[in-house]
Amino acid sequence: MEEHDPALASRYPFTSLGERLIESEGLTEKDLAYDPLLEQSRRHARGRLLSAVGGGLYLDDLYLPPLDAVATYLIVRLVSSWIGDPFLNRLVAEHESKRFHRLARDEPIHVLAWLGGELGAAIRLDGERAWIDISSYLRAAAGLGGPRWRLANRDVRSGQVLVGRRELARLLQELLRTHLLEPTPRPSLSPPLRAIGTEVTRRLEERKSSIQSSRPSRQALPPCIERLVEKAERGENMSHQERFTLAAYLLRVGWSVDRVVDLFRSAPDFKERVARYQVSHIAKGGYNPPNCETLRSWGICVEDCGVKSPLSYGRRGRRRR
Amino acid sequence: MNPLRAAFREYYALRSRSIFVPRIDLREIMMVTFDGTVIRHVSVKNLESLRAMLAREAPRHAYYSVGLYERPAAKSMAEKGLKGAEVLFDIDADHLGVDECDYGLAWRCKSCGESGDGAPPDACPKCGSRDLERLDWLSEGCLEAAKREAIRLLEILESDLGVSGDELMVYYTGHRGYHVRILSERFLGLGKEERRELASHVSGLSFDPEEVFYVKGSVLTTPRVDEGGWRGRIAREMLQLLEGSSGGKTALPSSVAERRGELVRALGEGVPLINPTRALVRDLRRMAEEIVQARRVRIDEMVTPDTSRLTRIPNSLHGKTGLRAMALSPDELRDFQPLGDAVGLSDDQIRVFTTAPVPRFRVKGESFGPYEPGVGVDLPMFAAALILLKGRGVIP
Ligand code: SF4
Ligand SMILES: [Zn+2]
């Protein structure tokens, strides 16, 4: 049975297989910090954390023996909880889930079904496809852009959604990401692990200051625009209407074409030339972002701020401050 | 005491057993009294205290949260500690664009008291003031339209989401709409985005015909009749159209009629269609869009994502009508007649002096009106309450 394949614990250390391994080996924080046999786990954990901060993807440790893989994962989680920075948590969750997807996308469907169960989803196989319970589907798909993921375009019956194998792997990536974002208590760490933490913190601060200098304050953004900015930054797929709204708004409040183009850079289908052409077209046309009523009908409006246009929200917000 | 408030109090004294709120100890309660005081951030331990409170305060409006909280009486959301929230759908006749909902529309000038039928003019014809009040009314046709939306919503919730029976709570708001709450545990933990997704599912907002009639290269994949959700609804309705049209009754676009046989196989058995013409793809997508438009549930999409909402306490009285915010089972909903079944006030006679035109209306099977402004009429309390609470009359 797959569930007992030790290689699975190595690939998916966050599962109950990993937990059982920790228990049977009696692995403690002191072991993780000092055991000379776990030196390579500490090295890889450091690599993974730094890679998360730097926006890369660390794959040097894909095929470690199960215990080392589990230890590496544990160190990553302990150190990031110890640092306790929400921005870092997001980066780590992003990085770990991407790494997960690298492995999961090639798994047979029954392994994915097992992983889904480990991540709290109820999954029923249907040939080469699977039914996933609607709450888990919604939790996962909420972070995914594009009409393909919208419930209204899917086969959904009695609280279950039908998905293909690759889609399931993608949904599980999201479930793992949200799972990793759940708050954890701050552990106490021994010096060797704290040293990793200190180094990661320093890199994190560098990254933060470079972001801050390149981006204006976001204090007065209306909630709909705020959400679009986040979507763009997370590299989620955005509809044409969403892109237009965001670009027109930002240009109106004084962003340069370059800066707006930069914002779209994380989009999966980003093409510099196309984006630049579209954004400067909007800039030249002097378009206003659509008014709230239109945004409401496009499903872009997030809450009723009591204004007629997102632009007036900005004005009011700024005056208040 | 204001006779209206006395009537509300009498209702709460006599009918308090019908008042209920599931998991009451975790809810935030809010009330608005007849003198306009808002009582917020209240929590009660059990139903008995809630019933006693309603009988004591006889409030004009009484609400409870969709959220379940650790500390429901705390002042801020952060302190309250959200444990979960029921998923709420709000159907409001005002959003349906149904003509019947304008029945009995009138206005009154806030400066001089002049009034008239129909939508308020730009300025008062008598004194020129622009401060005019729009007065709406209730009509059976309008309430029927809202009820039809609610019934469609329940069908979608059952077939697509698998929630039915006691996992749901349905009620008439006591005014111009319906509320539906999903109570099941598995939906309580959903976040804002997930709720938004549910809202745009039932309202068809996120439906995309290009996904459902999907073209890749020269292959067109269609939805299939045995699928769930909008895909299945579209496929079944289209198949019916195709089969019904064989006698030439329904006019199909020629692009579609030409390929009827292949389409029947595609919709029925999922056989992809090869080399569709551009016109065919366009027409199919347009038909799908029309089907969704006709069957979508017109909810207020802003309400569902918001876990801090409150709605009326089941079987409490609505302060704009005096009608009961009646909790209904899905079966009861079908035959429910708001202007008969939801009457909660007594038939004690009371004299009302009208201050704006009152249209003809029926409550509890009895007809009243129409009344000119400035007349005195003796009416049973339940009918008088409607005129008074709708701002078209006073107690002399
Ligand atoms: S009300 Fe307007 S500004 Fe506010 S979220 Fe909605 S669309 Fe944006
Ligand atoms: Zn006047």
Side-chain angles (χ1 to χ4, degrees):
Chain A
M1 198 50 216
E2 235 78 20
E3 279 81 344
H4 303 293
D5 177 357
L8 282 180
S10 152
R11 268 174 283 171
Y12 309 113
F14 60 85
T15 58
S16 56
L17 285 185
E19 276 165 30
R20 254 181 271 153
L21 199 57
I22 298 166
E23 267 169 42
S24 66
E25 297 285 330
L27 213 56
T28 64
E29 190 270 334
K30 291 270 175 291
D31 298 329
L32 295 172
Y34 295 108
D35 189 336
L37 292 178
L38 293 176
E39 178 50 35
Q40 74 162 343
S41 291
R42 288 188 286 278
R43 188 164 47 80
H44 287 309
R46 174 180 166 278
R48 252 152 86 170
L49 286 161
L50 291 177
S51 206
V53 172
L57 186 58
Y58 191 85
L59 299 171
D60 294 357
D61 59 344
L62 279 189
Y63 304 103
L64 296 182
L67 186 63
D68 302 68
V70 171
T72 310
Y73 172 74
L74 268 184
I75 297 171
V76 168
R77 295 232 57 197
L78 281 174
V79 171
S80 60
S81 316
W82 180 75
I83 297 173
D85 181 290
F87 182 52
L88 175 71
N89 288 343
R90 246 177 296 146
L91 293 173
V92 169
E94 193 73 41
H95 182 265
E96 290 294 311
S97 61
K98 251 191 214 153
R99 214 174 154 276
F100 162 83
H101 185 247
R102 261 306 163 91
L103 295 163
R105 66 185 184 188
D106 299 322
E107 299 287 5
I109 187 104
H110 63 274
V111 170
L112 294 182
W114 166 72
L115 283 168
E118 292 282 326
L119 288 165
I123 290 174
R124 187 164 56 82
L125 291 183
D126 186 346
E128 273 307 295
R129 294 186 293 178
W131 293 92
I132 177 170
D133 72 281
I134 191 166
S135 308
S136 304
Y137 180 86
L138 290 171
R139 264 192 295 140
L144 297 171
R148 154 154 91 112
W149 296 106
R150 305 284 68 83
L151 207 51
N153 304 318
R154 308 219 52 124
D155 185 356
V156 46
R157 297 180 218 176
S158 306
Q160 297 186 308
V161 186
L162 186 63
V163 296
R165 191 183 63 83
R166 284 181 155 266
E167 290 177 325
L168 183 55
R170 187 68 186 86
L171 291 168
L172 297 184
Q173 175 187 347
E174 282 303 300
L175 286 183
L176 177 61
R177 195 173 65 83
T178 48
H179 166 71
L180 292 173
L181 285 173
E182 282 159 22
T184 46
R186 185 166 192 254
S188 53
L189 291 188
S190 306
L193 299 188
R194 246 186 278 161
I196 300 179
T198 313
E199 188 185 355
V200 171
T201 309
R202 202 180 55 239
R203 283 281 192 87
L204 181 67
E205 293 312 321
E206 284 167 19
R207 164 120 196 232
K208 278 187 191 167
S209 61
S210 80
I211 292 175
Q212 264 153 26
S213 59
S214 73
R215 189 167 297 137
S217 94
R218 270 207 219 134
Q219 289 185 327
L221 287 187
C224 52
I225 302 294
E226 177 95 46
R227 173 163 163 269
L228 294 180
V229 170
E230 277 165 17
K231 273 186 112 170
E233 285 182 344
R234 283 214 302 257
E236 290 175 17
N237 280 311
M238 293 170 77
S239 70
H240 174 70
Q241 292 155 336
E242 288 176 325
R243 285 175 216 237
F244 173 78
T245 305
L246 183 55
Y249 178 90
L250 294 175
L251 291 166
R252 263 280 172 242
V253 300
W255 282 43
S256 68
V257 170
D258 281 342
R259 218 195 248 158
V260 177
V261 171
D262 273 346
L263 183 60
F264 288 113
R265 214 169 278 283
S266 349
D269 53 353
F270 180 81
K271 288 192 195 68
E272 174 92 33
R273 214 170 43 82
V274 178
R276 188 163 294 280
Y277 170 79
Q278 285 168 342
V279 173
S280 38
H281 180 74
I282 297 171
K284 272 191 223 114
Y287 293 100
N288 274 326
N291 60 31
C292 296
E293 202 185 317
T294 310
L295 293 178
R296 213 159 287 146
S297 72
W298 288 353
I300 291 177
C301 175
V302 181
E303 60 185 73
D304 198 342
C305 319
V307 294
K308 295 247 161 63
S309 151
L311 286 171
S312 32
Y313 180 96
R315 254 173 250 137
R316 281 212 333 214
R318 249 172 264 145
R319 237 187 273 132
R320 244 186 274 126
R321 286 200 172 82
Chain B
M1 186 191 293
N2 170 349
L4 207 47
R5 181 167 174 227
F8 270 49
R9 168 172 287 178
E10 186 192 353
Y11 169 82
Y12 285 119
L14 291 175
R15 309 286 289 273
S16 80
R17 300 220 55 83
S18 70
I19 302 286
F20 74 100
V21 166
R23 309 176 82 170
I24 177 93
D25 52 322
L26 305 176
R27 310 282 184 171
E28 176 190 356
I29 305 291
M30 177 175 116
M31 294 183 184
V32 182
T33 66
F34 269 88
D35 61 17
T37 312
V38 180
I39 311 172
R40 296 210 59 181
H41 310 300
V42 177
S43 88
V44 294
K45 288 257 167 316
N46 50 43
L47 275 183
E48 285 321 309
S49 341
L50 177 69
R51 291 167 178 169
M53 190 175 173
L54 287 168
R56 193 177 59 241
E57 300 291 340
R60 185 165 185 160
H61 304 284
Y63 307 92
Y64 76 118
S65 58
V66 294
L68 305 166
Y69 301 103
E70 310 265 2
R71 288 167 297 278
K75 295 278 178 287
S76 75
M77 275 300 157
E79 288 168 86
K80 282 188 203 294
L82 186 69
K83 289 160 66 91
E86 292 158 355
V87 179
L88 170 65
F89 298 96
D90 174 36
I91 293 166
D92 184 343
D94 291 339
H95 293 181
L96 300 184
V98 177
D99 288 344
E100 279 113 319
C101 293
D102 285 340
Y103 175 78
L105 194 60
W107 58 271
R108 193 181 46 237
C109 171
K110 283 187 178 172
S111 308
C112 73
E114 179 73 358
S115 64
D117 286 313
D122 287 342
C124 172
K126 192 166 160 201
C127 76
S129 162
R130 293 183 173 271
D131 198 5
L132 303 179
E133 200 180 352
R134 181 190 157 96
L135 304 169
D136 63 16
W137 196 251
L138 292 182
S139 81
E140 282 165 11
C142 176
L143 293 169
E144 262 313 296
K147 189 169 102 180
R148 280 196 300 271
E149 298 292 316
I151 291 171
R152 273 210 315 282
L153 174 61
L154 293 185
E155 285 166 1
I156 291 186
L157 293 182
E158 172 156 19
S159 66
D160 296 5
L161 273 57
V163 285
S164 60
D166 52 8
E167 291 181 297
L168 284 175
M169 187 132 127
V170 186
Y171 43 94
Y172 170 55
T173 61
H175 193 215
R176 287 153 73 95
Y178 288 84
H179 284 152
V180 174
R181 289 185 180 216
I182 303 180
L183 309 184
S184 9
E185 209 63 42
R186 62 206 156 102
F187 290 96
L188 290 181
L190 294 185
K192 210 172 169 171
E193 290 297 327
E194 290 96 309
R195 288 165 199 261
R196 191 193 312 285
E197 180 76 31
L198 283 178
S200 38
H201 178 69
V202 302
S203 68
L205 256 195
S206 53
F207 169 73
D208 186 341
E210 295 184 18
E211 283 295 318
V212 173
F213 284 90
Y214 187 75
V215 179
K216 196 169 183 190
S218 58
V219 179
L220 167 68
T221 320
T222 72
R224 240 179 25 229
V225 287
D226 61 345
E227 286 187 294
W230 287 108
R231 302 179 63 89
R233 281 188 282 278
I234 291 166
R236 289 187 292 274
E237 192 156 333
M238 277 201 180
L239 192 62
Q240 258 179 19
L241 277 176
L242 287 171
E243 288 173 341
S245 75
S246 52
K249 274 167 282 162
T250 345
L252 289 173
S254 61
S255 64
V256 174
E258 279 162 12
R259 311 280 293 262
R260 183 189 291 138
E262 287 164 275
L263 278 168
V264 167
R265 251 175 296 137
L267 296 165
E269 295 149 42
V271 183
L273 197 143
I274 313 298
N275 288 328
T277 61
R278 267 165 187 274
L280 175 64
V281 172
R282 189 195 57 218
D283 290 338
L284 288 171
R285 287 175 178 167
R286 190 180 39 75
M287 287 168 74
E289 189 75 69
E290 281 165 10
I291 291 171
V292 173
Q293 284 306 319
R295 290 170 162 259
R296 62 183 290 255
V297 185
R298 286 164 291 175
I299 54 168
D300 181 343
E301 280 113 23
M302 305 304 294
V303 169
T304 308
D306 185 357
T307 53
S308 63
R309 289 275 168 169
L310 298 110
T311 66
R312 281 174 199 277
I313 289 176
N315 298 325
S316 66
L317 295 178
H318 194 299
K320 280 185 189 162
T321 58
L323 295 171
R324 302 166 74 198
M326 257 180 90
L328 303 162
S329 74
D331 288 335
E332 287 166 333
L333 176 62
R334 285 187 190 275
D335 306 314
F336 176 67
Q337 295 298 335
L339 294 173
D341 302 337
V343 172
L345 296 175
S346 75
D347 49 14
D348 297 349
Q349 293 286 309
I350 181 171
R351 187 163 190 84
V352 173
F353 186 78
T354 59
T355 55
V358 174
R360 186 182 174 78
F361 65 103
R362 279 173 75 83
V363 186
K364 242 181 154 176
E366 242 182 285
S367 287
F368 303 94
Y371 307 119
E372 298 284 305
V375 300
V377 270
D378 291 311
L379 294 169
M381 189 45 124
F382 60 78
L386 202 54
I387 296 175
L388 296 168
L389 291 168
K390 283 270 165 215
R392 301 191 189 205
V394 291
I395 299 167

